[in-house]
Amino acid sequence: MSELRGVVGYFDDPDALRAGIDHFNGIRGMRPEVYTPIPDMSAIYALNPSTSGVRWFSLVGGLSGIAAALAMTIWMSWDYPVIVGGKPITSLPPYLVVAFELMVLFGSIASVIGFLFMSRLPDLTPSDAYRPPMGVDRFALYLACSDETERGRAAGELLAAGATETVDIHHAGLGRLQVNQ
Amino acid sequence: MHEHTHQNAPNGEAYRKVTDDVLRPMQSYSLGWMAGVAFCAFLILVGAISEGYQLKYGMGMSGLMHPMMWAVYITNFVWWIGIAHSGTLISAFLFLFRAPFRAAFSRASEAMTLFAVMTAGLFPLIHLGRPWRAYWLMPYPNERMLWINFRSALVLDVFAVTTYFIVSTLFFWLGLIPDVAVVRDRSKGWKRTIYGLLSVGWEGRGKQWRHYWMAYSVLACLAAPLVVSVHSVVSWDFASAIVPGWHSTISAPYFVAGAILSGLAMVLTLLIPLRKNLALQEYITIDRMEQIAKLTLLMSMVVGYSYLSEHFMTLYGREPSDLADLWNKVRGTWASPFWAMNFCNVIAPLILFWRPARRNIPTLFVVSIIINIGMWLERFNIIAGSLARDYNPYAWAPTFYHFRPVEVGITLGSLGWFMFFFLLFTKFLPVLPIAELKRDILLEHREDIAIEEAHEHPRVPGGVKPAEATES
């Protein structure tokens, strides 16, 4: 038998999952990982109420976009100064359009990079606990453990939290893009 | 839509059904679909041959001639950009407002945006005549170390459209990730590799959802004003010139309203056959179609108001060249497209005030096609029609524009190009957002529970209100 990694508890529906998360919020030292096919944010934030750090990536990206656009337009205009239509070399109104577009562009790209970085993605090797039904219709909490004592406690707590079934998770040793059946 | 008791939240079966229903069309290739793809490929070939002919013999093969040096190609560009508008608009705005009918349309309209921008982007290159010089629009030191002119609306347009394309692609891909992960898990071989790469290892963990939700919300916040900015910038391509019929401060909101109208019409044109052919009537319901029809009616009236406002200002200002342009459109050589445009965009959609028409699919389809035609005519009127009456009467075009075969061929090719990608999308990607549909089922259930509780305890001060109970 391969190495024990943890225990997964399956719940009937999102409400049961939410109740299970509330159960673990009352237990110190036990932080389960949620697996859900639905973005039920009330449940997800119940487990980890802090706001995602992605927004800082967005802010920095957006500000970088503005700075890059203004630097580019102003510097390029002065690098070869040509008066067009009697306007000043630094004509801010049209440059602000470029600044807005690059703010959106850099902010969006930074948000996606932030999401990938904070979520530790891309990661093409599936985790030991993940099973395809978790993307479709199964709601689960996963507790990592390494020995039989911990396993027994984790399974007991998962059942007490309302799990209808618990399954031991062993190291699968899967390669990239393989699927745990 | 979904049967469930009010005691327990919908269980796995309801969610499995959504997944199976949405992914079913991806499992087989119907004869009709293959015929559609083949026909689109034929249209692309027609467009490619026409463009090749034009490249070989020059722009004289098109109908472009002084004073109408902008005509069909720029009309097509603005028309496709307009169509591209509503996709991100529907998706981003309805997401931010938490509109319950968003899921029925968002994915298909985002795909529409992407393919329409890809199509629109071809036309400035075609219109250049020498597309291999397109890189001159990029900020690099060209002739004598001269940089591009950032005061030009055309340069601003390059930034706006490029940004719109990249942000729309990111928004579309981000929305796809959880759904494509399901497809990955059900695929084998090369399909698993492609869907696996697209889903970047998504597993639906709590941490992933938390960051995903924030990134998606930020992208929606950024995309919503971007939608407005892009078509405003497109309008400045014209408004910053002094051509009568172009030089108007109303252009930006007028163009944005027109773009939304044409985008909504194209959403209807695409979704009506899609819901039937992919058997998705349970998700894209008549009620949802009616909501889009109401939005279409609203935008049609905004566009009608814009037309009236523009003509009023011309009459009120009494500037001779503006009046000449207006009379040429009202009763001159451009009267036919002008009145056809008004009928298509302002008169015909009024039938949507009648509820049975809004809920009748063939009527909606016909109205959407009429609006699509009307919006093309609107852009053609603005672009070529206004150029036909410039400041200099000596240069006035004596006749209507002469369409040439290469222009027709390239326009048909662009329709084939757009539909080709859309048909591929319907077969290789989930056409509805599966995770969001499941969330809607859950929120609907929670709202039902909240309403039941409110009925059971009507006098409890500060009792749970449905809105508080449902939204996270």
Side-chain angles (χ1 to χ4, degrees):
Chain A
M1 180 65 77
S2 54
E3 187 187 347
L4 179 70
R5 285 293 169 89
V7 185
V8 155
Y10 288 108
F11 295 78
D12 273 339
D13 56 57
D15 287 347
L17 181 76
R18 170 70 203 268
I21 290 169
D22 288 341
H23 173 85
F24 280 101
N25 276 338
I27 301 174
R28 290 187 69 180
M30 272 196 162
R31 300 293 294 168
E33 178 69 271
V34 185
Y35 285 86
T36 170
I38 303 179
D40 178 14
M41 301 316 289
S42 63
I44 289 160
Y45 281 120
L47 188 66
N48 189 344
S50 67
T51 312
S52 165
V54 170
R55 66 196 198 286
W56 296 112
F57 283 81
S58 314
L59 180 69
V60 172
L63 293 175
S64 309
I66 294 172
L70 291 178
M72 176 178 71
T73 50
I74 294 171
W75 177 76
M76 287 180 185
S77 299
W78 281 101
D79 187 53
Y80 194 115
V82 182
I83 292 180
V84 180
K87 297 179 182 70
I89 299 296
T90 302
S91 310
L92 272 182
Y95 298 176
L96 287 179
V97 177
V98 180
F100 173 79
E101 302 299 344
L102 291 197
M103 177 197 75
V104 171
L105 181 63
F106 284 36
S108 301
I109 293 172
S111 304
V112 172
I113 290 172
F115 153 66
L116 294 172
F117 178 77
M118 303 290 284
S119 309
R120 302 291 181 268
L121 294 174
D123 181 4
L124 301 182
T125 307
S127 63
D128 292 322
Y130 180 72
R131 299 290 183 279
M134 291 174 179
V136 179
D137 57 359
R138 301 222 71 177
F139 308 89
L141 290 178
Y142 169 71
L143 282 168
C145 53
S146 53
D147 60 38
E148 196 55 35
T149 315
E150 282 184 11
R151 190 205 69 80
R153 186 170 171 238
E157 287 297 344
L158 283 166
L159 290 171
T164 53
E165 178 193 358
T166 61
V167 176
D168 292 350
I169 298 296
H170 295 272
H171 178 51
L174 294 172
R176 285 182 175 180
L177 294 172
Q178 289 184 319
V179 176
N180 230 332
Q181 298 296 342
Chain B
M1 182 168 75
H2 303 280
E3 293 291 329
H4 52 76
T5 69
H6 288 176
Q7 301 304 316
N8 299 315
N11 57 19
E13 199 177 330
Y15 304 123
R16 197 160 47 246
K17 182 180 179 318
V18 172
T19 311
D20 293 342
D21 286 347
V22 176
L23 298 188
R24 191 173 300 115
M26 297 172 65
Q27 290 162 1
S28 60
Y29 304 95
S30 70
L31 200 62
W33 181 83
M34 286 192 279
V37 171
F39 182 65
C40 291
F42 169 72
L43 289 180
I44 294 172
L45 186 66
V46 169
I49 290 170
S50 304
E51 169 64 4
Y53 189 76
Q54 183 175 275
L55 283 177
K56 184 174 182 188
Y57 293 103
M59 293 300 280
M61 292 299 103
S62 71
L64 295 176
M65 191 170 288
H66 192 77
M68 291 177 281
M69 300 306 289
W70 282 14
V72 175
Y73 300 140
I74 300 298
T75 299
N76 286 345
F77 166 71
V78 181
W79 189 65
W80 280 115
I81 282 287
I83 286 168
H85 238 69
S86 260
T88 303
L89 178 108
I90 287 179
S91 199
F93 271 96
L94 298 187
F95 176 80
L96 294 174
F97 287 112
R98 302 290 190 264
F101 59 97
R102 175 185 184 264
F105 304 101
S106 60
R107 179 67 48 76
S109 50
E110 285 168 21
M112 179 189 82
T113 287
L114 205 57
F115 306 139
V117 179
M118 280 165 52
T119 314
L122 296 175
F123 281 101
L125 305 183
I126 293 169
H127 180 79
L128 279 178
R130 290 183 290 174
W132 51 93
R133 300 285 194 212
Y135 67 95
W136 283 11
L137 283 163
M138 292 296 126
Y140 82 105
N142 48 48
E143 191 75 11
R144 298 188 200 167
M145 298 304 285
L146 182 65
W147 297 90
I148 52 174
N149 176 17
F150 285 105
R151 299 172 198 86
S152 163
L154 296 175
V155 168
L156 304 184
D157 208 13
V158 172
F159 279 88
V161 173
T162 310
T163 300
Y164 192 51
F165 177 67
I166 295 171
V167 173
S168 295
T169 308
L170 289 175
F171 196 53
F172 180 62
W173 172 64
L174 203 60
L176 272 172
I177 288 175
D179 299 344
V180 170
V182 179
V183 185
R184 170 201 64 197
D185 292 343
R186 293 183 173 195
S187 306
K188 289 177 182 162
W190 62 271
K191 282 189 174 178
R192 190 201 297 277
T193 306
I194 290 174
Y195 290 119
L197 291 172
L198 267 179
S199 58
V200 291
W202 176 266
E203 293 184 343
R205 294 193 227 173
K207 187 172 73 176
Q208 292 174 345
W209 276 120
R210 201 160 61 88
H211 300 308
Y212 173 89
W213 198 251
M214 176 59 78
Y216 199 76
S217 303
V218 169
L219 241 66
C221 286
L222 290 170
L226 178 67
V227 171
V228 177
S229 86
V230 173
H231 224 65
S232 299
V233 172
V234 170
S235 83
W236 297 334
D237 288 346
F238 307 99
S240 61
I242 56 168
V243 175
W246 287 7
H247 191 55
S248 169
T249 49
I250 200 176
S251 282
Y254 171 15
F255 268 55
V256 171
I260 296 168
L261 176 64
S262 66
L264 287 167
M266 190 56 99
V267 166
L268 285 172
T269 306
L270 294 173
L271 280 184
I272 287 169
L274 183 135
R275 69 192 283 275
K276 184 170 182 290
N277 292 334
L278 304 189
L280 293 171
Q281 291 97 331
E282 189 184 348
Y283 302 96
I284 309 173
T285 60
I286 292 283
D287 288 342
R288 303 304 189 221
M289 301 300 282
E290 188 184 2
Q291 278 151 335
I292 291 292
K294 284 179 182 172
L295 273 177
T296 307
L297 176 62
L298 172 71
M299 293 320 298
S300 159
M301 289 191 293
V302 173
V303 166
Y305 172 78
S306 301
Y307 291 168
L308 283 176
S309 176
E310 189 190 20
H311 302 328
F312 171 78
M313 289 313 292
T314 302
L315 293 170
Y316 187 68
R318 303 204 61 76
E319 214 279 316
S321 49
D322 278 344
L323 283 171
D325 169 62
L326 179 62
W327 294 136
N328 186 42
K329 287 172 181 163
V330 172
R331 60 185 188 195
T333 48
W334 285 75
S336 304
F338 177 81
W339 291 109
M341 167 196 93
N342 278 290
F343 170 78
C344 292
N345 296 339
V346 184
I347 308 295
L350 293 179
I351 196 175
L352 299 178
F353 267 115
W354 192 37
R355 189 162 186 263
R358 288 200 304 268
R359 300 180 68 82
N360 182 280
I361 295 298
T363 307
L364 278 182
F365 189 69
V366 171
V367 170
S368 73
I369 295 287
I370 289 174
I371 295 173
N372 284 326
I373 294 169
M375 289 311 299
W376 192 90
L377 288 173
E378 181 204 287
R379 276 60 178 265
F380 193 62
N381 274 326
I382 292 172
I383 295 164
S386 301
L387 286 171
R389 284 290 182 277
D390 206 336
Y391 280 105
N392 184 2
Y394 179 76
W396 282 0
T399 57
F400 188 62
Y401 186 79
H402 294 292
F403 294 96
R404 301 296 294 272
V406 288
E407 290 169 316
V408 178
I410 288 171
T411 304
L412 289 175
S414 75
L415 285 167
W417 168 268
F418 172 78
M419 283 308 300
F420 180 79
F421 286 106
F422 196 82
L423 284 173
L424 293 184
F425 155 72
T426 62
K427 197 51 69 180
F428 293 108
L429 291 171
V431 293
L432 294 173
I434 301 171
E436 196 175 327
L437 283 169
K438 291 174 185 170
R439 184 170 180 266
D440 285 351
I441 295 174
L442 179 63
L443 293 183
E444 196 180 316
H445 158 77
R446 287 183 179 163
E447 191 167 350
D448 289 347
I449 293 284
I451 291 168
E452 268 182 20
E453 285 180 0
H455 280 300
E456 283 168 16
H457 310 287
R459 292 181 185 176
V460 177
V464 179
K465 292 175 187 168
E468 290 170 359
T470 53
E471 198 42 74
S472 51

